[in-house]
Amino acid sequence: MARRAGALIAAGLAALTLGPVAVVLAQAGRGGVGTADLAALRFTVTQAALSALASTACAVPLARALARRRFAGRRLMITALGAPFLLPVIVAVLGLLAVFGRAGLVNGGLRLLGLAPVSIFGLGGVVLAHIFLNMPLATRMLLQGWQAIPAERLRLAASLDFRPTDFWRHIEAPMLRDVLPGVLLAVFAICLTSFAVVLIVGGGPAATTVELAIYQAIRFEFDLPRAATLALMQVGTCGLAVALASFFTTPGGFGAGLDRQADLPAPGGWRQLIDFGAIGLAATFLALPIGAVVLRGVPGLASLPAGVWPGLLTSLLVALCTAPLAVSAALVLALARAHGARWLEPVAMLPMAGSQLVLGTGLFLLVFPFVAPPDMAVPVTILVTAVMALPFAYRILLPEARVLVADYGTLAESLGLCGWAALRLLILPRLRRPLGFALGLTAALAVGDLGVVALFAAEHGATLPLVISRLMAAYRMEAAAAASLLLVIAAFGVFWICDRWGRAGAEL
Amino acid sequence: MKSLKFAAGLAFVATSVAAETPVLNVLTYDSFVSEWGPGPAIETGFEAECSCDLRFIPAGDGAALLARVQLEGARTDADVVLGLDTNLTAAARETGLFAPHGQAPELDLPVAFEDANFVPYDWGWFAFVHNRTLDAPKNFRDLAGSDLKIVIQDPRSSTPGLGLLMWVKAAYGDEAAQVWKDLADNIVTVTPGWSEAYGMFLEGEADMVLSYTTSPAYHLISEQDDSKTAAVFDEGNYMQVEVMGKLAASDQPELADRFMAYMLSDAAQAVLPTTNWMYPAHVPAEGLPKGFETLVQPTKSLLLGADEAEALRAPALEEWRAALAR
């Protein structure tokens, strides 16, 4: 049942992601890719791989520290980890520049000390920016892994007098081998299609990504087959990464627990020092740019232009429709995958590597002969955002869906528990925490997404990100900063509500 | 019952009137349509005299506009496309989708302008905008020799970026590649669009940003801030001429003509300087808004012809990429 529904959704998803690419590919044009494109592909993969490794490497000690330490403000910090990921690109970049830029805090400090300034621009800056944007997400996903270790194993470890190294070898390492490849994959896929951040912080054409080549192909050359070919290269790369990740994923095999509460062992001494060091460093690294975003936005808040409010409403409406759509589809896929449908894995990850511009263009070509694109603005936005957000939700749900099927699958089958009853009695209660997180994340992504909206935009009814880009184009940078702060508050608000629902009753 | 029939009759008359109101669709870039752009005032002004419904269809920025026209092809609902610049008009004409405008507009451009398909509605000089306190360079070589930092836009995704590419090419021809090589260490970064670059400049990330000589007018008029100015380069400043054209497939060709004529009327031209922050193609009777007289005036204006710009684009882009991709 779950597998059949999964197959159905996967088919729809594949059609939605590959259909538009096929349509774009079928248009007239020269097509073909050149050496510059191969260089772009090489750079894209390099920066994405480095970013994924660095983000995850930073996330592991942070997630571990957050999992086993208790301190005031811990809940707040875990919630706030959602924030960087939700920032509109240019807002995040300006926040980072306020800290690491020429006129930023770091260089101000260096100048005071009489030292030469450092430049953020270049490959190092790209990786730094991607760490800022993705390390928190990676941390949250890893934290779920630590959280999912059954209390019974912790007690067993305690009664066996595990030292920290034993605990690492028998409990944490196997858990990470289960969770880490997926986290790496998610960050890699995000960075693969990241384009504005890479170009701005990358410092010039040496930092050309495949997505930028796609822009050029569509907008200046109008060579649609070329754009589609480039998009397929991107998808192919992601496909390889999916294969690699699933090769390295080995189930943790902890077995079922009884949901007792137990704290992870929190060794003292230098380990405690390192844990709090990691927490302090991460908090500073993440809080400074976000603080800068808030500071830039506050002065304009009192005089926000009227056009911002309908924009906010439209964005919230989109989020309200997108999140349940994406998460329910992702849940079905994750359960089907957990039941053994391995082939679902690449399909569920497809949209993450898809080019937004090609997807939008393809949908435009599909829709245009029948209806005026501006009339379809909101439905298309909802659909595309849901498709784009689905892989995130899937990644978040999958590890615990696997555990659910491994621990309760047989029991549920022997009881004939299926359909709504299974959803109500088994799935919702067991997966509540990742479901809340996934709902929050997709809703927040939908609030902040500019994506394909631009192609389908109507004269009225712009979403908030579009209003912000219009404000910036009209020189109103202060108003744009304030509207961005509003966007962050809104995105973070919906994230917080959903995440809180998910965590209610669960110690995290 | 009688009144019901009357109401029904009235409703019928009302709907038939609505059905007869012709609709003119104008495809344009997003910032033209926004409440801070010229769109709303133009719409009110034109609708007051055309007894029609003017609808703007926003389509990203200038470069996206041309792609949109090509995507829609002859099936398009649009009657007029507004917002291409002369670096894109050759490619636009090439599509065969545009009709000759047949107008003889009275223009106040610093260079002669002739195009059978496209009519300018506003224009500006590209220039590096900086704080008044900065001792600005006099030309690209000066700039390359200084340790000033600039932010520019990517010619592959932005029209000002493409304008800069043409500027260097128009000023230096075969030496353009060397100029770009020398400029490489001055370029802090290349942004996808104008907004990111301008925002970064305002945040102090660079000494100068590629924008327009008219940009300081925004700060002066809207923010009473006269701290910004633009650099005049002695090899000349390249122009951006923004044009509109009528689509051959339009079902409202006469209305389209009237709209294009209206765009050049005093009423419409007076709106552009303080919404689009560009010079009007035809200076209205009341002159330019107060504050524009403070702007720097380049002594030499550069502008490549549409065909020349189209022919130079690919090689110039390759030169640019090779010089900066260290």
Side-chain angles (χ1 to χ4, degrees):
Chain A
M1 168 65 196
R3 290 186 68 153
R4 207 175 321 140
L8 211 66
I9 287 181
L13 196 60
L16 266 174
T17 25
L18 294 178
V21 182
V23 171
V24 173
L25 192 66
Q27 304 297 309
R30 283 191 313 278
V33 290
T35 46
D37 297 323
L38 293 181
L41 180 65
R42 203 161 47 231
F43 175 78
T44 309
V45 172
T46 311
Q47 63 84 12
L50 283 177
S51 301
L53 285 173
S55 305
T56 324
C58 296
V60 170
L62 178 62
R64 186 193 207 193
L66 283 172
R68 65 189 188 184
R69 303 293 167 191
R70 296 289 174 273
F71 55 94
R74 179 173 167 275
R75 272 170 173 274
L76 180 77
M77 184 170 172
I78 291 174
T79 309
L81 281 175
F85 190 66
L86 312 173
L87 294 174
V89 167
I90 179 63
V91 178
V93 170
L94 287 177
L96 274 173
L97 288 177
V99 179
F100 298 99
R102 186 174 81 143
L105 283 174
V106 170
N107 278 325
L110 288 175
R111 237 172 315 218
L112 276 182
L113 296 171
L115 296 170
V118 290
S119 170
I120 183 183
F121 300 98
L123 183 58
V126 172
V127 175
L128 184 83
H130 278 154
I131 296 179
F132 172 71
L133 293 170
N134 300 314
M135 182 257 273
L137 177 74
T139 307
R140 279 297 306 257
M141 291 171 81
L142 288 172
L143 202 50
Q144 303 259 7
W146 257 284
Q147 221 52 50
I149 300 171
E152 287 74 8
R153 301 324 135 214
L154 301 180
R155 290 187 177 182
L156 183 63
S159 64
L160 289 174
D161 239 350
F162 269 16
R163 284 166 302 150
T165 40
D166 303 322
F167 192 74
W168 168 258
R169 220 179 75 198
H170 297 290
I171 308 271
E172 291 176 314
M175 181 279 290
L176 284 175
R177 287 208 56 180
D178 189 10
V179 181
L180 208 53
V183 176
L184 267 169
L185 176 65
V187 181
F188 177 78
I190 296 167
C191 298
L192 201 63
T193 50
S194 154
F195 129 77
V197 175
V198 179
L199 187 64
I200 298 175
V201 188
T208 295
T209 56
V210 177
E211 189 75 14
L212 183 76
I214 292 176
Y215 257 72
Q216 188 188 355
I218 290 191
R219 295 159 49 123
F220 278 118
E221 294 163 5
F222 201 67
D223 191 345
L224 295 181
R226 196 174 109 82
T229 313
L230 290 165
L232 287 176
M233 269 162 62
Q234 215 161 257
V235 170
T237 313
C238 189
L240 275 178
V242 170
L244 265 176
S246 58
F247 178 75
F248 283 111
T249 305
T250 36
F254 291 114
L258 292 173
D259 299 333
R260 293 199 185 91
Q261 291 287 334
D263 284 343
L264 288 156
W270 60 273
R271 289 191 176 84
Q272 186 167 5
L273 215 64
I274 289 204
D275 280 358
F276 281 107
I279 290 168
L281 265 177
T284 319
F285 174 63
L286 299 174
L288 284 178
I290 295 176
V293 169
V294 174
L295 282 181
R296 281 181 68 238
V298 166
L301 268 188
S303 52
L304 269 173
V308 163
W309 303 109
L312 177 65
L313 223 75
T314 311
S315 285
L316 286 175
L317 173 78
V318 169
L320 210 66
C321 301
T322 302
L325 191 64
V327 173
S328 48
L331 179 64
V332 174
L333 284 180
L335 286 173
R337 169 71 186 87
H339 274 108
R342 279 184 82 94
W343 60 274
L344 276 179
E345 187 89 4
V347 181
M349 295 302 286
L350 250 182
M352 225 180 220
S355 159
Q356 286 241 1
L357 192 61
V358 172
L359 186 64
T361 307
L363 282 176
F364 185 94
L365 285 166
L366 281 171
V367 163
F368 177 69
F370 309 106
V371 275
D375 296 342
M376 296 295 290
V378 172
V380 168
T381 307
I382 292 172
L383 188 67
V384 172
T385 317
V387 168
M388 288 294 183
L390 192 145
F392 294 104
Y394 171 81
R395 271 287 138 213
I396 292 166
L397 292 172
L398 182 62
E400 299 199 34
R402 270 219 201 94
V403 173
L404 177 82
V405 170
D407 297 352
Y408 296 91
T410 331
L411 178 65
E413 219 160 282
S414 70
L415 291 174
L417 192 64
C418 62
W420 284 114
L423 189 69
R424 198 167 54 84
L425 296 173
L426 180 64
I427 299 166
L428 277 184
R430 306 273 342 151
L431 294 183
R432 181 168 169 159
R433 194 175 48 207
L435 278 173
F437 181 39
L439 271 174
L441 196 72
T442 46
L445 276 175
V447 174
D449 191 50
L450 184 55
V452 294
V453 179
L455 258 181
F456 288 85
E459 191 174 348
H460 308 287
T463 59
L464 189 52
L466 196 56
V467 172
I468 292 172
S469 92
R470 286 177 177 178
L471 277 168
M472 289 187 75
Y475 287 90
R476 282 151 177 86
M477 302 290 172
E478 189 183 271
S484 304
L485 179 58
L486 184 70
L487 174 76
V488 173
I489 295 171
F492 197 67
V494 294
F495 173 75
W496 184 78
I497 292 170
C498 300
D499 193 35
R500 206 182 141 76
W501 169 79
R503 281 160 49 185
E507 174 60 28
L508 190 94
Chain B
M1 194 58 207
K2 206 171 180 181
S3 66
L4 196 67
K5 264 185 191 158
F6 178 71
L10 206 68
F12 175 74
V13 171
T15 47
S16 61
V17 166
E20 274 166 23
T21 305
V23 176
L24 184 74
N25 290 308
V26 176
L27 190 63
T28 184
Y29 46 78
D30 203 65
S31 57
F32 193 90
V33 180
S34 84
E35 61 177 288
W36 307 281
I42 302 279
E43 188 170 341
T44 317
F46 186 60
E47 283 182 350
E49 63 175 57
C50 73
S51 54
C52 69
D53 181 7
L54 173 60
R55 288 189 198 155
F56 288 115
I57 311 168
D61 58 12
L65 204 53
L66 180 56
R68 175 70 171 261
V69 173
Q70 286 167 288
L71 273 183
E72 298 196 357
R75 287 182 304 193
T76 182
D77 287 335
D79 303 294
V80 174
V81 175
L82 180 143
L84 298 170
D85 76 8
T86 52
N87 294 324
L88 299 170
T89 47
R93 198 182 48 226
E94 206 60 11
T95 63
L97 295 170
F98 288 87
H101 57 71
Q103 310 205 5
E106 212 178 300
L107 300 175
D108 295 313
L109 265 56
V111 295
F113 189 91
E114 197 79 36
D115 195 308
N117 296 96
F118 299 100
V119 188
Y121 61 91
D122 69 14
W123 65 278
W125 280 295
F126 286 117
F128 287 94
V129 170
H130 57 86
N131 283 320
R132 214 171 273 284
T133 48
L134 185 91
D135 187 17
K138 299 278 178 287
N139 51 52
F140 280 107
R141 290 222 159 98
D142 249 17
L143 172 59
S146 73
D147 50 11
L148 292 174
K149 295 289 178 197
I150 58 172
V151 209
I152 61 171
Q153 298 84 3
D154 197 308
R156 295 168 295 180
S157 55
S158 120
T159 52
L162 186 56
L164 177 64
L165 195 71
M166 294 301 161
W167 184 359
V168 175
K169 201 70 195 163
Y172 289 97
D174 292 342
E175 293 168 59
Q178 189 56 47
V179 171
W180 279 116
K181 270 191 198 114
D182 297 341
L183 281 172
D185 60 348
N186 299 91
I187 298 171
V188 176
T189 194
V190 180
T191 63
W194 174 89
S195 310
E196 296 91 350
Y198 208 79
M200 282 175 68
F201 162 70
L202 291 181
E203 296 290 318
E205 283 304 315
D207 302 301
M208 307 207 288
V209 61
L210 179 72
S211 190
Y212 303 90
T213 58
T214 38
S215 300
Y218 168 76
H219 300 284
L220 183 70
I221 295 170
S222 288
E223 298 179 336
Q224 288 77 48
D225 166 14
D226 72 341
S227 67
K228 306 277 183 291
T229 184
V232 171
F233 276 13
D234 54 23
E235 64 262 71
N237 286 56
Y238 196 78
M239 290 168 60
Q240 179 168 47
V241 180
E242 295 196 289
V243 300
M244 53 192 164
K246 183 171 68 165
L247 288 160
S250 167
D251 56 358
Q252 297 287 347
E254 275 165 42
L255 205 50
D257 288 338
R258 279 176 66 193
F259 173 75
M260 283 164 56
Y262 175 80
M263 277 305 293
L264 284 166
S265 71
D266 279 10
Q269 290 286 302
V271 170
L272 294 169
T274 51
T275 48
N276 238 18
W277 303 101
M278 297 285 267
Y279 284 110
H282 173 72
V283 180
E286 71 261 35
L288 293 169
K290 195 177 159 338
F292 268 64
E293 74 285 352
T294 63
L295 300 175
V296 297
Q297 296 273 333
T299 42
K300 197 173 159 197
S301 303
L302 302 174
L303 183 65
L304 295 171
D307 293 318
E308 206 180 345
E310 175 68 14
L312 282 174
R313 190 161 53 97
L317 198 56
E318 188 43 42
E319 252 173 31
W320 174 86
R321 205 189 55 77
L324 296 189
R326 310 172 287 273

